[in-house]
Amino acid sequence: MKIGAYVCKGCGIEERLDTVQLASVAKRDGKAAIAKEHEFLCNADGVAMIQNDIDNEGVNRVVIVGCSRRAKTEAFSFEGVAITRANIREGVIWVRPDTDEAQETTQEMADDYVRMGCAEAKHMKIPDASGEQSLNRHILVVGGGVAGMTAAIEAAKAGYKVDLVEKSGQLGGVLGQLYKRVPAKNGLQGPVDTNVEQLVHTVEALSDITVHLNTTVAKTEGAPGRFAVELATESGSTSEVTVGAIIQATGFTPYDINKLPELGGGKSPDVVDQLAFEALAKGAAGGAIKRPSDGKEVKNVVFIQCAGQRSDQKGHLPYCSGHCCTTSIKQAMYVKEAGGDATVLFDDLRTPGAVGEDFYRAGQERGVTFSKGKVSEVQANGSLKVNFTDLILGEETAAEADMVVLATGMVPNSGPDPYAQLELEQAKADGNTDRVATLEASLADAPASILNLDYRQGTDVPHLKHGFTDSHFICFPYETRRTGIYTAGPVRRPMDIGQATEDAVGAALKAIQACENAALGQAAHPRSGDLSFPKFRKEGCTQCKRCTVECPFGAINEDEQRYPQFNESRCRRCGTCMGACPVRVISFDNYSVDTVGQQLKAVDIPDEFSEKPRLLILACENDAYPALDMAGMTHQEISAFARIIPVRCLGSVNTIWVTDALNSGYDGVVLMGCQKGDNYQCHFVKGSEMAHYRMSKIDDTLSQLNLEKERVQTFEVSITDIQRIPKIINDMETLIGEIGMSPFKF
Amino acid sequence: MSDVIATNQTILVVGGGISGLTAAIEAAECGKQVILVEKSPTVGGRVGQLYKYFPKLCFPTCGLEIQYRRLKANKNIRLLTMAEVTSVTGESGNYNVDIKLSPRYVNENCTACGACAEAVEAEFDDEHNYGMKKRKGAYLVSHMAYPQRYVIDPRIIGTPDADKAREACKVGAVDTEMQEQNLKLQVGAVVWATGWTPYDAAKIQPYGYDRFDNVITNVEFERMLDPFGPTGGRVVRPSDGQAPKNVAFIQCAGSRDHNHLKHCSRICCMASLKQTTYLREQFGDEAKSTVYYIDIRAIDRIDDFHQKVKQDPNVTFVKSKVANIVENKANGNLVLNGVDTEGYNRYANEHDLVVLAVGMESNVPAGVLPEGTVINEHNFIELDEANGAIFGAGCSSDALDVNRAAQNATASALRAIQVVNRVAGLEG
Amino acid sequence: MSNLNQTMLEKYRSNFLKEVEANVEEGEWVKMCMQCGVCSGSCPMGPHWAHPPQEIFMMIRAGKREEVLSSDSMWMCTSCYNCIARCPRGLPITHIMHGLATYAKRLGLVPQEQPTAKFAQRFWDNLSKTGRVNELKLGLSLYFMNGFGEGIKTALKMKDVGMGMVKTGRMNPMEILGGHSCKDKAGIQKMLKKAFEIEEGKIAENKMG
Amino acid sequence: MAKREYSFYPGCSSQSKASSANYLKSTKTICEELDIQLNEIPDWNCCAASIGYAGGGELPRMTLSARNIALSQKHNAGQDIVATCAACWLATRETKERLEHDASILDGANQALGEIGIKVESDIPKTRHMVEVLIEDIGYEAIGSKVKRPLDGLKIAGYVGCQTNRPFGIDGESFENPRYLDKMVETLGATPVEKYDKKVSCCGGALMFSEPEKSQALVKDIIEAAYDGGADMIVTPCPVCQMNVEVYQGHINKTYGTKFNIPVVYYSTLMSVAFGRSAKEAALEGQMIRAKKLEDLAK
């Protein structure tokens, strides 16, 4: 191993700092074999200088002493070496006043960052993939509705093989039950053909797609690139396929109208939900729709929107299902076309976008009547009477109807909540009988498992809200907590046919991407392309299971001897397992207990009477560290005593770093991570939360050392806290001023 | 720029906003060669100008940071900024594209140290802040700008300011001789994601955006919340800098209207609901919001955010399209005239600030895409066989929120991949 | 007249909207209203309407035939065209109001003593006689439209205006003896008679239809 | 500049000794100055205005304007129809559009016209308001060049009203804040009232006769806003507006205890004075509320 440290003098660094000293610090303290200064390191000449040392001097650890790791990335990207940055631009000269008094501490700050950079470099290895899985261009799609079929077709069109599994005896799903569909294109048009036959035909015609009808998934084990999936048919016969990735498109079930007696649900055969009305329309095939009770041709239909949804009433759905307004308009058009009258009673008419609003206008042009009305009751004795408040005319009124259609919501067809399963296990372990009872009850109601994942953390994809398996992130709709498994269509989020189709295409891309990444041993987003993955020292492992339980992505299983199996291609490289490990046997090649631990130890700690405290700042690289950079760009002042180390995620912070810091004489420690809780912003879901939890336990350590517990503080910050973050750090300096320096300085 | 390499197996993504970034990155992470072109000096687009996202009230820059990191790390993507596509011809698997590269007058040596900006004196309206603020003639679009490289405003070229900028730069990054260039590329598929422009509020005459100081747009309101924005992060009345305590939000300002945009812009309802929470954030119980709407379109599961805001006693909802606005000349307040259609109540409500929830005007240009590309009457690109391998993404395909735009962009990326994979198959 | 009302009532019993679409000028637009209320808010006479346009459209859809046709709301229209200019759905509201008024009149449902209805009729009679408006006669007929006593009062009240107009050469007392007129009076009346026949014919069709 | 010819539709109110006789008079004056020749449509008839609907249904009303159009085509072939009265212009232009877009109306109207042996020919002439002619064909500059007697020191509220503004309006102007009267006022050397927010409010139109109280309430606001803007007088392009705003000030003062006494003039009157023509030619005697400041200038 050979460290080369390269000190940039540009961007005012030379004017503010003694770069000769920085170079000598790198050599003397950092053990750098080569330490060079350069006028302007990121220009062609500077880069060439470094490349030359790599090629001809055998440098394989490069320490860039200059700007932040977020700057000049194009210039400083060298193949086959480990690179670290000593951030003395954004991190030092831009956050320190340019005064004579400040000069000394500013230089010390920079010196320390050089030492830290070299220490990190010394303990880094160049990561390489495990080769655990090879390229498997084969995808499993569960669900044969419009989303599933679309996903299968699109993946096949991209050159991938697909196994399409459908529980029922035929493809088509809900789409197959429709008479017509809402158009996907703009224009004042009416309902259009579903083209479901073409879709089914395409699926059957494509040689790369294998359809499995009357089939379910009995077991799924493995990881992206090497999922071993056991398929079971009704008859009981099983077969196994090996796939690179999985798409779950299991759709939805209409909310049960029998739960809506006040709206006539279950009271009259002539009160139906939208899907049942489609069946009638299909039967009528363009002619007049005949009503179930007596076969009379319906002349007058009332559509009630938001039936049992957007309601806080117990047992109702709290959300809006998005498609119901356009669906009712479409069905009202059926009625108009057959010469009848149709009235839509709505609260808010939701026909968004260009296509949506066009369709609303089309409905009006065809003479569908729209009233903003709140229905109090549907009377079903003989003929139907809908009592409602006309919110526009402000009166109680009623409408006679031959039939009433209730626009009920979508209930997602997802499997049981894996975290409920985990909690049950925990509750059993804790002997919390009440909790066990309630959890067992709720899981008893839950639908059967869909994927039967052989995962340490439950059998199915985690729910986000209301049972939908959606991503929690706005920018990343396909973020998934089970790497290589993507959900699409109404199981992910309430949506209409158009969106479900789009959603399936996107999910197909993500599945394809998962196959490709797995083959290269690369991480999926957010650490895309990262080749490092957790490795552990078996002999040191105590089988405490923390890593397997705390992994936010359920990536880690336990082998028969109950040792962790990390499943590289499921792993998202956040390091939460590393942070969790009490015996510190888990590490990544380029990120380990040492790469951080040695950095903080490399810092020069002045003695107790120097009035120069030392503050260790562990900052999440996703939000806190960029905010610190921007604090630099906007010249916010930051304490000269702070030593900042970026971490992959606060979840990766091992408490040993904090105790080491305190033992080696740091006066304060600040951890900065993303927002936790229900609206978490942590890119690794639970990392920040775990860190907060672990740090709450550190008080014992502090009291053993008999140090004030204010010396260690954990904060939730966001990338926009450009002014707040410096303040947090400076406040810690003030606090130390008040409670005094740490006695642990040697 | 002669070093830009493209073939029929290359995917061209036009537009560096959230949709373009997503399409480019997702395709590149499938191992495809992508060229991403952005007209402005930085990627990030419209979302880079937002304070928070609904319904989570999280920060757009957070997601952008991740996307930028994926972009920096990925060697399959070639990013061209200040690059505008002027013509696309050809057919699926084989398109010829003309790109105009405007001079940035700053080369890759730039370290974003900011010396040039300090040296330059001339100031111009800051586009990033919708002209609510001035910026220097040499500037970095925002702290999040990527590429992190300064720009020289062409208007100072040939003035002493240009020389000042050049002299101030110690790394020789300022090149005032830079010329416009034209680039011809051959690509296999095109993902078109040029996004949207806020509808010109001045055209909505009854609301007097062009006549009354205290009538602003929802996008301008967003900028006020940025600590480094035009008002230092404070919500204020443009007329007198006072804190508004009684704010009106007018929905469908230019949307769902045959005099303006016929389509529903989808995001504006949620945006206004979100913005009522900004007022809460700044003024607590003192701030009152009134939302004037036709239909509140909080689609699908994010309706729970709507329900939450409805619970707020300080937020009032009025089902009414405001007829017109008159200024109270005495105090700069605005009197909104109209009729609450629920039960028919005539009102003349005085507010101290009016926020127009302006909609999305699609940026799909005329006469650039190949003859016969299906662009609907709302100027969105339809998904149509006739479009060959031209795929509209994000708000070039419909009025979409960020989440749906990213979703739709991911789908567009696969459609493009199918084309270049087919080409690869043929070319072996 | 009122028997026409009966026939229409029977024919369209179930659906007032259809009746309006078939018989009212620009009536086919009524269904396109999305209840935003911008018309009602924009109307200068808004405060005086029992039912503003957007509400009338809703009432038509709700089948409130009597209430709509016998209301004096549409007679409040000053033809300022604000509603048309602002309607996001492009409804020709002014014309629909005129159309509803005309139709109500045809069916004899106009409220007694509706001043605008009376004035409008007088205006028409006045102009259709000679082809041109005789402002003096129009004015006088107006004053006396509510009976002689009332007329004198109004006339006195309007005296200053009348005098002023005369003084400034903008009114001519002599007009009472005839005054302005088209040369081809007879032709104009023939022409209008024909126009009426055609229009009545249309309604008659709808009556059968 | 070559003489411009138009097919002129004066309308009932501008006949001699009718309510806007002064409008016609001053219009003739400015036309002389600007070299415009107005060829009156022979035996033109009333347009039924916006109040004719009760008596006449759709077709009879349209037929009236159709007759004027047909006569114009016959006698003033190839000339744009120009009206000075807002109602005349609007009714005729609306009829033009219906005739062009509604076959049954065209057919019905022609049947009726058949009774008197005329018919509407294809390509119906453009139907324009005099203001359009002044702005589009002559232009502010040319008008300015004719000013011999700038209206210095006069502050004038440009009251556009409704029917010259909606639904058609003047090209390039907005419904809510049309600037053309203000520009005209400036061109003539006077100062317009900025932010005159009753500029396009309704004066009650024909309802001044049937609903006087309600209409006068509207007029009150229009005048008040003009005073608030410091106006010496109000200028308007519409006879109904002119009459409603001018002649009821006495009544309004009685009802509201106001002291209104503000002249309301036509743009044509202003122009005539500015062009250096006599008070008589400007028809200043037609002002029920004397426009003293204009009279002094015209001396």
mmCIF file of all heavy atoms in Angstrom, chain A residues 341 357 360-361 364-367 369-371 390 392-393 395, chain C residues 15 18 31-35 54-55 58-59 61-62 64 89:
data_model
loop_
_atom_site.group_PDB
_atom_site.id
_atom_site.type_symbol
_atom_site.label_atom_id
_atom_site.label_comp_id
_atom_site.label_asym_id
_atom_site.label_seq_id
_atom_site.Cartn_x
_atom_site.Cartn_y
_atom_site.Cartn_z
ATOM 1 N N ASP A 341 -80.850 8.083 -18.671
ATOM 2 C CA ASP A 341 -80.306 9.256 -17.992
ATOM 3 C C ASP A 341 -79.386 8.808 -16.873
ATOM 4 O O ASP A 341 -79.622 7.785 -16.239
ATOM 5 C CB ASP A 341 -81.432 10.113 -17.400
ATOM 6 C CG ASP A 341 -82.192 10.842 -18.497
ATOM 7 O OD1 ASP A 341 -81.545 11.256 -19.482
ATOM 8 O OD2 ASP A 341 -83.425 10.948 -18.394
ATOM 9 N N GLU A 357 -59.550 15.853 -17.579
ATOM 10 C CA GLU A 357 -60.469 16.978 -17.726
ATOM 11 C C GLU A 357 -61.223 16.877 -19.053
ATOM 12 O O GLU A 357 -62.416 17.174 -19.127
ATOM 13 C CB GLU A 357 -59.713 18.301 -17.637
ATOM 14 C CG GLU A 357 -60.599 19.532 -17.487
ATOM 15 C CD GLU A 357 -61.385 19.580 -16.178
ATOM 16 O OE1 GLU A 357 -61.106 18.764 -15.282
ATOM 17 O OE2 GLU A 357 -62.294 20.420 -16.078
ATOM 18 N N TYR A 360 -64.110 14.521 -18.531
ATOM 19 C CA TYR A 360 -65.186 15.179 -17.783
ATOM 20 C C TYR A 360 -66.046 15.992 -18.766
ATOM 21 O O TYR A 360 -67.275 15.856 -18.804
ATOM 22 C CB TYR A 360 -64.563 16.075 -16.713
ATOM 23 C CG TYR A 360 -65.534 16.883 -15.852
ATOM 24 C CD1 TYR A 360 -66.879 16.538 -15.719
ATOM 25 C CD2 TYR A 360 -65.075 18.002 -15.141
ATOM 26 C CE1 TYR A 360 -67.732 17.288 -14.916
ATOM 27 C CE2 TYR A 360 -65.921 18.750 -14.333
ATOM 28 C CZ TYR A 360 -67.251 18.392 -14.237
ATOM 29 O OH TYR A 360 -68.088 19.141 -13.430
ATOM 30 N N ARG A 361 -65.397 16.793 -19.576
ATOM 31 C CA ARG A 361 -66.149 17.608 -20.549
ATOM 32 C C ARG A 361 -66.910 16.716 -21.514
ATOM 33 O O ARG A 361 -68.068 16.962 -21.852
ATOM 34 C CB ARG A 361 -65.203 18.538 -21.325
ATOM 35 C CG ARG A 361 -64.506 19.546 -20.428
ATOM 36 C CD ARG A 361 -64.217 20.873 -21.101
ATOM 37 N NE ARG A 361 -63.717 20.753 -22.460
ATOM 38 C CZ ARG A 361 -62.451 20.461 -22.769
ATOM 39 N NH1 ARG A 361 -61.571 20.261 -21.814
ATOM 40 N NH2 ARG A 361 -62.074 20.375 -24.017
ATOM 41 N N GLN A 364 -70.044 15.655 -19.926
ATOM 42 C CA GLN A 364 -71.054 16.715 -19.940
ATOM 43 C C GLN A 364 -71.658 16.854 -21.332
ATOM 44 O O GLN A 364 -72.872 16.951 -21.487
ATOM 45 C CB GLN A 364 -70.417 18.033 -19.516
ATOM 46 C CG GLN A 364 -70.059 18.068 -18.045
ATOM 47 C CD GLN A 364 -69.458 19.401 -17.653
ATOM 48 O OE1 GLN A 364 -68.423 19.801 -18.171
ATOM 49 N NE2 GLN A 364 -70.101 20.095 -16.730
ATOM 50 N N GLU A 365 -70.817 16.804 -22.351
ATOM 51 C CA GLU A 365 -71.324 16.936 -23.718
ATOM 52 C C GLU A 365 -72.337 15.846 -24.022
ATOM 53 O O GLU A 365 -73.308 16.063 -24.729
ATOM 54 C CB GLU A 365 -70.174 16.866 -24.726
ATOM 55 C CG GLU A 365 -69.304 18.091 -24.709
ATOM 56 C CD GLU A 365 -68.778 18.447 -26.099
ATOM 57 O OE1 GLU A 365 -68.503 17.491 -26.864
ATOM 58 O OE2 GLU A 365 -68.667 19.650 -26.391
ATOM 59 N N ARG A 366 -72.108 14.663 -23.444
ATOM 60 C CA ARG A 366 -73.050 13.573 -23.704
ATOM 61 C C ARG A 366 -74.267 13.648 -22.789
ATOM 62 O O ARG A 366 -75.083 12.743 -22.761
ATOM 63 C CB ARG A 366 -72.330 12.228 -23.536
ATOM 64 C CG ARG A 366 -71.451 11.876 -24.714
ATOM 65 C CD ARG A 366 -70.481 10.754 -24.343
ATOM 66 N NE ARG A 366 -69.768 10.251 -25.510
ATOM 67 C CZ ARG A 366 -68.850 10.963 -26.156
ATOM 68 N NH1 ARG A 366 -68.581 12.202 -25.782
ATOM 69 N NH2 ARG A 366 -68.221 10.437 -27.202
ATOM 70 N N GLY A 367 -74.330 14.670 -21.987
ATOM 71 C CA GLY A 367 -75.550 14.898 -21.220
ATOM 72 C C GLY A 367 -75.601 14.198 -19.867
ATOM 73 O O GLY A 367 -76.660 14.085 -19.251
ATOM 74 N N THR A 369 -75.509 14.145 -16.073
ATOM 75 C CA THR A 369 -75.773 15.210 -15.107
ATOM 76 C C THR A 369 -74.841 15.065 -13.911
ATOM 77 O O THR A 369 -74.700 13.969 -13.367
ATOM 78 C CB THR A 369 -77.236 15.149 -14.614
ATOM 79 O OG1 THR A 369 -78.082 15.179 -15.765
ATOM 80 C CG2 THR A 369 -77.550 16.338 -13.730
ATOM 81 N N PHE A 370 -74.208 16.163 -13.557
ATOM 82 C CA PHE A 370 -73.295 16.158 -12.415
ATOM 83 C C PHE A 370 -73.843 17.044 -11.311
ATOM 84 O O PHE A 370 -74.192 18.191 -11.567
ATOM 85 C CB PHE A 370 -71.915 16.662 -12.839
ATOM 86 C CG PHE A 370 -71.207 15.757 -13.812
ATOM 87 C CD1 PHE A 370 -71.418 15.881 -15.179
ATOM 88 C CD2 PHE A 370 -70.345 14.775 -13.358
ATOM 89 C CE1 PHE A 370 -70.773 15.033 -16.072
ATOM 90 C CE2 PHE A 370 -69.690 13.928 -14.251
ATOM 91 C CZ PHE A 370 -69.910 14.060 -15.610
ATOM 92 N N SER A 371 -73.962 16.502 -10.108
ATOM 93 C CA SER A 371 -74.422 17.312 -8.984
ATOM 94 C C SER A 371 -73.480 17.141 -7.809
ATOM 95 O O SER A 371 -73.120 16.009 -7.468
ATOM 96 C CB SER A 371 -75.817 16.878 -8.551
ATOM 97 O OG SER A 371 -76.724 17.057 -9.619
ATOM 98 N N ASP A 390 -78.282 18.498 -1.847
ATOM 99 C CA ASP A 390 -77.712 19.168 -3.007
ATOM 100 C C ASP A 390 -76.910 20.357 -2.490
ATOM 101 O O ASP A 390 -77.476 21.340 -2.011
ATOM 102 C CB ASP A 390 -78.819 19.642 -3.948
ATOM 103 C CG ASP A 390 -78.260 20.229 -5.231
ATOM 104 O OD1 ASP A 390 -77.258 20.980 -5.134
ATOM 105 O OD2 ASP A 390 -78.796 19.925 -6.306
ATOM 106 N N ILE A 392 -75.105 22.523 -3.955
ATOM 107 C CA ILE A 392 -75.151 23.770 -4.727
ATOM 108 C C ILE A 392 -76.463 24.497 -4.450
ATOM 109 O O ILE A 392 -76.477 25.678 -4.124
ATOM 110 C CB ILE A 392 -75.017 23.484 -6.239
ATOM 111 C CG1 ILE A 392 -73.655 22.835 -6.533
ATOM 112 C CG2 ILE A 392 -75.194 24.767 -7.045
ATOM 113 C CD1 ILE A 392 -72.469 23.716 -6.279
ATOM 114 N N LEU A 393 -77.559 23.766 -4.551
ATOM 115 C CA LEU A 393 -78.868 24.395 -4.336
ATOM 116 C C LEU A 393 -79.201 24.462 -2.844
ATOM 117 O O LEU A 393 -80.198 25.059 -2.444
ATOM 118 C CB LEU A 393 -79.947 23.634 -5.094
ATOM 119 C CG LEU A 393 -79.739 23.603 -6.614
ATOM 120 C CD1 LEU A 393 -80.831 22.811 -7.288
ATOM 121 C CD2 LEU A 393 -79.656 25.014 -7.186
ATOM 122 N N GLU A 395 -80.187 22.207 -0.562
ATOM 123 C CA GLU A 395 -81.481 21.666 -0.121
ATOM 124 C C GLU A 395 -81.412 20.148 0.006
ATOM 125 O O GLU A 395 -80.607 19.494 -0.643
ATOM 126 C CB GLU A 395 -82.576 22.030 -1.127
ATOM 127 C CG GLU A 395 -82.314 21.462 -2.510
ATOM 128 C CD GLU A 395 -83.373 21.881 -3.526
ATOM 129 O OE1 GLU A 395 -84.095 22.857 -3.277
ATOM 130 O OE2 GLU A 395 -83.448 21.212 -4.578
ATOM 131 N N ASN C 15 -87.794 15.743 -18.238
ATOM 132 C CA ASN C 15 -86.476 16.329 -18.397
ATOM 133 C C ASN C 15 -86.497 17.768 -18.894
ATOM 134 O O ASN C 15 -86.571 18.034 -20.082
ATOM 135 C CB ASN C 15 -85.648 15.461 -19.348
ATOM 136 C CG ASN C 15 -84.172 15.783 -19.233
ATOM 137 O OD1 ASN C 15 -83.821 16.942 -18.992
ATOM 138 N ND2 ASN C 15 -83.335 14.777 -19.384
ATOM 139 N N LYS C 18 -83.657 18.821 -21.300
ATOM 140 C CA LYS C 18 -83.891 18.549 -22.727
ATOM 141 C C LYS C 18 -84.768 19.642 -23.324
ATOM 142 O O LYS C 18 -84.532 20.109 -24.436
ATOM 143 C CB LYS C 18 -84.565 17.184 -22.900
ATOM 144 C CG LYS C 18 -83.620 16.007 -22.694
ATOM 145 C CD LYS C 18 -84.150 14.742 -23.397
ATOM 146 C CE LYS C 18 -83.217 13.543 -23.218
ATOM 147 N NZ LYS C 18 -83.417 12.838 -21.928
ATOM 148 N N LYS C 31 -75.648 22.191 -20.100
ATOM 149 C CA LYS C 31 -75.054 21.000 -19.478
ATOM 150 C C LYS C 31 -73.556 21.135 -19.261
ATOM 151 O O LYS C 31 -72.962 20.393 -18.480
ATOM 152 C CB LYS C 31 -75.338 19.773 -20.343
ATOM 153 C CG LYS C 31 -74.834 19.880 -21.779
ATOM 154 C CD LYS C 31 -75.135 18.595 -22.540
ATOM 155 C CE LYS C 31 -74.589 18.584 -23.942
ATOM 156 N NZ LYS C 31 -75.348 19.383 -24.899
ATOM 157 N N MET C 32 -72.924 22.093 -19.946
ATOM 158 C CA MET C 32 -71.467 22.203 -19.860
ATOM 159 C C MET C 32 -70.978 22.979 -18.637
ATOM 160 O O MET C 32 -69.778 23.067 -18.387
ATOM 161 C CB MET C 32 -70.904 22.856 -21.130
ATOM 162 C CG MET C 32 -71.118 22.066 -22.408
ATOM 163 S SD MET C 32 -70.574 20.349 -22.270
ATOM 164 C CE MET C 32 -68.785 20.583 -22.152
ATOM 165 N N CYS C 33 -71.896 23.542 -17.891
ATOM 166 C CA CYS C 33 -71.495 24.318 -16.706
ATOM 167 C C CYS C 33 -70.851 23.396 -15.669
ATOM 168 O O CYS C 33 -71.342 22.308 -15.426
ATOM 169 C CB CYS C 33 -72.703 25.011 -16.096
ATOM 170 S SG CYS C 33 -72.363 25.743 -14.490
ATOM 171 N N MET C 34 -69.729 23.849 -15.079
ATOM 172 C CA MET C 34 -69.105 23.016 -14.031
ATOM 173 C C MET C 34 -69.231 23.660 -12.657
ATOM 174 O O MET C 34 -68.478 23.349 -11.733
ATOM 175 C CB MET C 34 -67.661 22.694 -14.373
ATOM 176 C CG MET C 34 -66.740 23.881 -14.422
ATOM 177 S SD MET C 34 -65.012 23.322 -14.538
ATOM 178 C CE MET C 34 -64.199 24.847 -15.005
ATOM 179 N N GLN C 35 -70.166 24.582 -12.540
ATOM 180 C CA GLN C 35 -70.499 25.137 -11.223
ATOM 181 C C GLN C 35 -69.320 25.821 -10.524
ATOM 182 O O GLN C 35 -69.131 25.628 -9.328
ATOM 183 C CB GLN C 35 -71.068 24.028 -10.323
ATOM 184 C CG GLN C 35 -72.411 23.513 -10.785
ATOM 185 C CD GLN C 35 -73.461 24.621 -10.751
ATOM 186 O OE1 GLN C 35 -73.573 25.347 -9.789
ATOM 187 N NE2 GLN C 35 -74.204 24.774 -11.852
ATOM 188 N N GLN C 54 -75.245 30.499 -12.662
ATOM 189 C CA GLN C 54 -74.752 29.150 -12.353
ATOM 190 C C GLN C 54 -75.801 28.363 -11.576
ATOM 191 O O GLN C 54 -75.965 27.169 -11.767
ATOM 192 C CB GLN C 54 -73.409 29.259 -11.625
ATOM 193 C CG GLN C 54 -73.218 28.417 -10.400
ATOM 194 C CD GLN C 54 -73.645 29.165 -9.154
ATOM 195 O OE1 GLN C 54 -73.693 30.392 -9.143
ATOM 196 N NE2 GLN C 54 -73.970 28.436 -8.117
ATOM 197 N N GLU C 55 -76.565 29.075 -10.755
ATOM 198 C CA GLU C 55 -77.591 28.385 -9.983
ATOM 199 C C GLU C 55 -78.757 28.007 -10.902
ATOM 200 O O GLU C 55 -79.314 26.904 -10.804
ATOM 201 C CB GLU C 55 -78.075 29.282 -8.841
ATOM 202 C CG GLU C 55 -78.856 28.529 -7.790
ATOM 203 C CD GLU C 55 -79.311 29.424 -6.645
ATOM 204 O OE1 GLU C 55 -79.414 30.652 -6.851
ATOM 205 O OE2 GLU C 55 -79.581 28.899 -5.562
ATOM 206 N N MET C 58 -77.968 24.906 -12.627
ATOM 207 C CA MET C 58 -78.123 23.753 -11.743
ATOM 208 C C MET C 58 -79.607 23.413 -11.584
ATOM 209 O O MET C 58 -80.004 22.246 -11.605
ATOM 210 C CB MET C 58 -77.499 24.090 -10.383
ATOM 211 C CG MET C 58 -77.088 22.882 -9.580
ATOM 212 S SD MET C 58 -75.795 21.954 -10.390
ATOM 213 C CE MET C 58 -76.470 20.316 -10.164
ATOM 214 N N MET C 59 -80.418 24.458 -11.458
ATOM 215 C CA MET C 59 -81.869 24.245 -11.294
ATOM 216 C C MET C 59 -82.453 23.592 -12.546
ATOM 217 O O MET C 59 -83.317 22.720 -12.461
ATOM 218 C CB MET C 59 -82.566 25.579 -11.013
ATOM 219 C CG MET C 59 -82.259 26.142 -9.638
ATOM 220 S SD MET C 59 -82.711 27.876 -9.492
ATOM 221 C CE MET C 59 -84.500 27.720 -9.315
ATOM 222 N N ARG C 61 -80.922 21.573 -14.498
ATOM 223 C CA ARG C 61 -80.548 20.151 -14.433
ATOM 224 C C ARG C 61 -81.392 19.428 -13.395
ATOM 225 O O ARG C 61 -81.747 18.271 -13.564
ATOM 226 C CB ARG C 61 -79.074 20.009 -14.079
ATOM 227 C CG ARG C 61 -78.136 20.580 -15.114
ATOM 228 C CD ARG C 61 -76.732 20.236 -14.679
ATOM 229 N NE ARG C 61 -75.735 21.114 -15.264
ATOM 230 C CZ ARG C 61 -74.462 21.110 -14.871
ATOM 231 N NH1 ARG C 61 -74.078 20.305 -13.897
ATOM 232 N NH2 ARG C 61 -73.592 21.897 -15.445
ATOM 233 N N ALA C 62 -81.724 20.146 -12.326
ATOM 234 C CA ALA C 62 -82.504 19.515 -11.259
ATOM 235 C C ALA C 62 -83.991 19.517 -11.597
ATOM 236 O O ALA C 62 -84.817 19.113 -10.783
ATOM 237 C CB ALA C 62 -82.267 20.250 -9.949
ATOM 238 N N LYS C 64 -86.123 22.030 -12.069
ATOM 239 C CA LYS C 64 -86.999 23.017 -11.413
ATOM 240 C C LYS C 64 -87.587 23.982 -12.447
ATOM 241 O O LYS C 64 -87.283 25.177 -12.470
ATOM 242 C CB LYS C 64 -86.205 23.766 -10.352
ATOM 243 C CG LYS C 64 -85.669 22.857 -9.248
ATOM 244 C CD LYS C 64 -84.847 23.644 -8.235
ATOM 245 C CE LYS C 64 -84.352 22.733 -7.122
ATOM 246 N NZ LYS C 64 -85.462 22.283 -6.246
ATOM 247 N N ARG C 89 -65.737 27.601 -19.193
ATOM 248 C CA ARG C 89 -66.223 26.576 -20.112
ATOM 249 C C ARG C 89 -66.786 27.193 -21.391
ATOM 250 O O ARG C 89 -67.304 26.488 -22.248
ATOM 251 C CB ARG C 89 -67.273 25.710 -19.418
ATOM 252 C CG ARG C 89 -66.668 24.679 -18.474
ATOM 253 C CD ARG C 89 -65.832 23.675 -19.241
ATOM 254 N NE ARG C 89 -65.195 22.678 -18.401
ATOM 255 C CZ ARG C 89 -65.826 21.608 -17.930
ATOM 256 N NH1 ARG C 89 -67.118 21.438 -18.188
ATOM 257 N NH2 ARG C 89 -65.188 20.734 -17.205
#
